[in-house]
Amino acid sequence: MMTIRILPEILSNQIAAGEVVQRPSSVVKELLENSIDATATSITVEIEKGGKSLIRISDNGKGLLHDDALLSIERYATSKIFTKDDLFSISTMGFRGEALPSIASVSKFSLVTRTKASDIGTKIDIIGGKIRDVSDVGSPVGTMVEVRHLFFNTPARKKFLKSDTTETSHIADVISGIALGHPGIGFRLVLNKKLVKNFPADQNFFQRSLLVLGKDVTGNLYSFKTRDHTLSVSGTCSGPSVTRSYSNRIYLFVNHRLVYDRGLVAAVFKGYQGRIMKGRFPMGAICVDLPCDQVDVNVHPSKREIKFLDPRPVYQAVSTTVSNALFQAQNDVTAYTRLDPVTSFVVSEDQEKNPPMADKWTSKGAKNPSSYPHYHHPSDPARAEQVKQAVFQWPQTATFDISKKTDSLTGLTILGQVLGTYIIAQKNNSLMLVDQHAAHERVVYETLKKRYQTLCVQSQDLLIPETLDLTHKEADLLISILEDLSELGIRIEPFGGTTFVVKSIPQLIEKKQIKPLVMEIIENFLETHDLSSKDKWLEACLISMACHTAIRANKILLPEEMAQLLFDLEKCDNPFHCPHGRPTIVSLDARQMEKLFKRVV
């Protein structure tokens, strides 16, 4: 008795549907891609009950002849590729020839189509993969596909579908993503006979990005474009002040195809390095265009995953382009640092009960705050008298204008200091707040980094070496990084067992700060277990050193000290963010302040 048999065609189509059609949004994606390949300029998607009851997609594309319409519902029938060479140079959205038969096998399916050259259209009705009727009908040029009662004949699949609201949300996301990749095409989403989304035709990419990403990016979205030989990178990215908790608002396109690629996401993050905090994600849309034979889209039936022939130049181009766009955006200081009072002043109930600190080194009452390195410690009697005079006579003193010292901060006038933490300044018609700890942290970080890169690390020997008593695990890790720490100016030597002594430290770091600094470095890497990348490791060390060295909150500064801090901040490559990604400066323009006080609406 034979144990191996050929599966019936309907069953094999249902198995294929398990890969291609995972939920209603998968149906929408496949049908939209067919409409795009048909050169449609207007596409309407109608949904009922989250796509479970009805999915209807109509387009004004070129349509299909009668015989082609019949062939289109056969498995592996396609007009997109003909030879094996075509498979490795795919320029269309669809190509596998599986979508329509897979969808038809798990639904009550109807196809109506007509070409411009035909006087009459063709209608095909299929139920559960079996053709029930083929007829001639009157119809406009283009194609309409109707999918009813999805998974009606596969109840095991149907029970895994989520609520109507959840499925509708997935469909809306798919439409928004595909619409963003094709701004010249008009898209409409009709939900339960009500128009809920409308993307007009003939938009440019920036206009479509604003519609898809939402009003949060208005005034905070930057466009970019670069081309190098055969590789082109273009798109939009949000300012660092507009972030989300998840990465689902980063849209990636390769040759106009909506894809997901972890390397591309990492490249975008690299472009934002030093500008956003850990755990936050930017918004934007990245378009990569390159020869079709340089990318493989036949990795998965969903066609969402891709593989580059050589990913390194692609990732490098993306990170560099995004970084350059943000760097150029810094030229408009008030726009780049603008604080949105509508979204920024909303405090959750949990935050009210547990207000967050700026960071763990700037809490109120921090012990032994360091002074700004250009001036004496406030324990100096002369310095104490200066601070006293500054505090009590500040309202009578003239503002300290640093406009002659800076370029991008030109016209900035220091008005004072609040909470011993924030420098208040004015530029044109904007009020600016500078976080003195974050600003000084950026200054120290870039100073340390430049000295390390130029091999000019300036160290100082300790008169009384600092002793470190570690656990065996901590000691093993420290031994493995002693040489790297020495390159940063921190010279540590074993002293027997698990005890070590610190012999020298960088000049910018005070002796009292070295023990907690070294312990933080060790604890961070015991937690992350990431010693594979020396560049990342050294970057983390420099950030820790800068954080420990920077002036703290709750420290009164003289006008001259504030001016010096802003002068040094101006010379930094990235003056608007601390090394952790927190903003150093936020601003409110006149209109925003008027909104806060309800003078305008």
Side-chain angles (χ1 to χ4, degrees), residues 13 111 147 169 177 185 238 300 365 477 501 516 526 574 578 587:
N13 283 341
L111 170 70
V147 179
S169 175
I185 301 176
S238 67
H300 189 273
L477 179 89
V501 290
L526 283 176
N574 180 11
C578 80
S587 64

Side-chain angles (χ1 to χ4, degrees), residues 95-133:
F95 59 89
R96 297 175 66 94
E98 289 184 310
L100 290 185
S102 296
I103 295 169
S105 69
V106 291
S107 68
K108 296 179 181 180
F109 179 93
S110 176
L111 170 70
V112 178
T113 184
R114 180 171 81 88
T115 64
K116 187 176 181 179
S118 303
D119 295 329
I120 196 165
T122 301
K123 181 179 181 181
I124 302 174
D125 291 315
I126 303 175
I127 298 179
K130 295 182 179 179
I131 298 179
R132 294 302 175 93
D133 187 44

Side-chain angles (χ1 to χ4, degrees), residues 24 47-54 163-165 167-168 191-192:
I47 301 296
E48 292 182 8
K49 294 185 177 180
K52 303 172 190 176
S53 175
L54 170 69
S163 68
D164 292 354
T165 302
E167 297 300 339
T168 298
L191 176 61
N192 299 325

Side-chain angles (χ1 to χ4, degrees), residues 493-534:
E493 296 180 356
F495 198 64
T498 58
T499 302
F500 295 80
V501 290
V502 182
K503 293 295 188 71
S504 63
I505 60 176
Q507 285 186 355
L508 289 178
I509 299 178
E510 296 184 6
K511 178 180 182 294
K512 61 178 177 291
Q513 299 169 328
I514 192 61
K515 186 171 182 177
L517 169 61
V518 175
M519 293 306 302
E520 180 181 297
I521 291 172
I522 294 173
E523 289 167 0
N524 282 344
F525 288 104
L526 283 176
E527 180 180 350
T528 61
H529 303 287
D530 184 14
L531 287 170
S532 57
S533 173
K534 184 175 179 180

Side-chain angles (χ1 to χ4, degrees), residues 179-194:
L180 182 53
H182 299 84
I185 301 176
F187 292 84
R188 299 168 72 245
L189 171 59
V190 179
L191 176 61
N192 299 325
K193 300 181 181 179
K194 187 176 181 179

Side-chain angles (χ1 to χ4, degrees), residues 5-19:
R5 66 189 69 181
I6 296 175
L7 291 174
E9 184 177 357
I10 292 179
L11 183 57
S12 64
N13 283 341
Q14 290 180 345
I15 293 173
E19 296 179 325

Side-chain angles (χ1 to χ4, degrees), residues 548-564:
H548 280 262
T549 305
I551 55 176
R552 307 291 188 250
N554 305 296
K555 174 178 172 54
I556 303 299
L557 297 179
L558 293 173
E560 292 82 2
E561 292 175 308
M562 300 180 200
Q564 184 64 57

